[in-house]
Amino acid sequence: QVQLVESGGGLVQAGGSLRLSCAASGSIFSINAMGWYRQAPGKQRELVATITSSGRTNYADSVKGRFTISRDSAKNTVYLQMNSLKPEDTAVYYCNAERIVMGIPRNYWGQGTQVTVSS
């Protein structure tokens, strides 16, 4: 089992910055990717950014150039640096981890952290 705990959300004005953290614990072996997703009221959960065990990153077009995902393997923690925040970034942000167990992908989710961007 993998447990994920997010932190760092809050209220910020447009143009400001926030840094989200996600700490993973439990059966962290064979985690091949971690990422951040977000869900705004009335909308589907969407990909924000991912990072693989090899360091490959992927970003949603809406956040490219503004958000940066990174990891600290020693701390089993992934970060999301969010700059130039816009009101449309307002959402609950969820940490995700994908673990390969006997060749079958398993996904784990954190409880989420609220990010609110005011105009």
Side-chain angles (χ1 to χ4, degrees):
Q1 187 63 267
V2 174
Q3 294 81 44
L4 303 172
V5 179
E6 304 100 332
S7 62
L11 174 64
V12 65
Q13 292 186 349
S17 298
L18 284 173
R19 178 174 152 107
L20 306 183
S21 299
C22 174
S25 61
S27 300
I28 61 173
F29 303 108
S30 300
I31 292 178
N32 71 302
M34 295 185 68
W36 290 95
Y37 294 72
R38 67 187 182 187
Q39 187 167 24
K43 290 199 169 188
Q44 291 185 326
R45 188 172 298 185
E46 65 176 353
L47 168 76
V48 177
T50 59
I51 185 166
T52 68
S53 59
S54 64
R56 179 187 174 203
T57 58
N58 186 42
Y59 297 91
D61 288 341
S62 60
V63 306
K64 285 181 179 177
R66 300 189 298 120
F67 292 9
T68 303
I69 188 170
S70 61
R71 67 180 184 182
D72 185 336
S73 296
K75 298 180 179 180
N76 298 315
T77 300
V78 64
Y79 304 93
L80 185 68
Q81 179 66 47
M82 305 185 294
N83 298 326
S84 302
L85 283 162
K86 305 174 181 179
E88 50 262 45
D89 294 319
T90 295
V92 177
Y93 284 70
Y94 296 91
C95 183
N96 168 267
E98 183 183 76
R99 180 169 175 253
I100 306 299
V101 181
M102 299 187 71
I104 302 174
R106 292 173 177 256
N107 280 276
Y108 304 88
W109 296 91
Q111 294 297 314
T113 185
Q114 177 71 47
V115 172
T116 303
V117 184
S118 62
S119 57

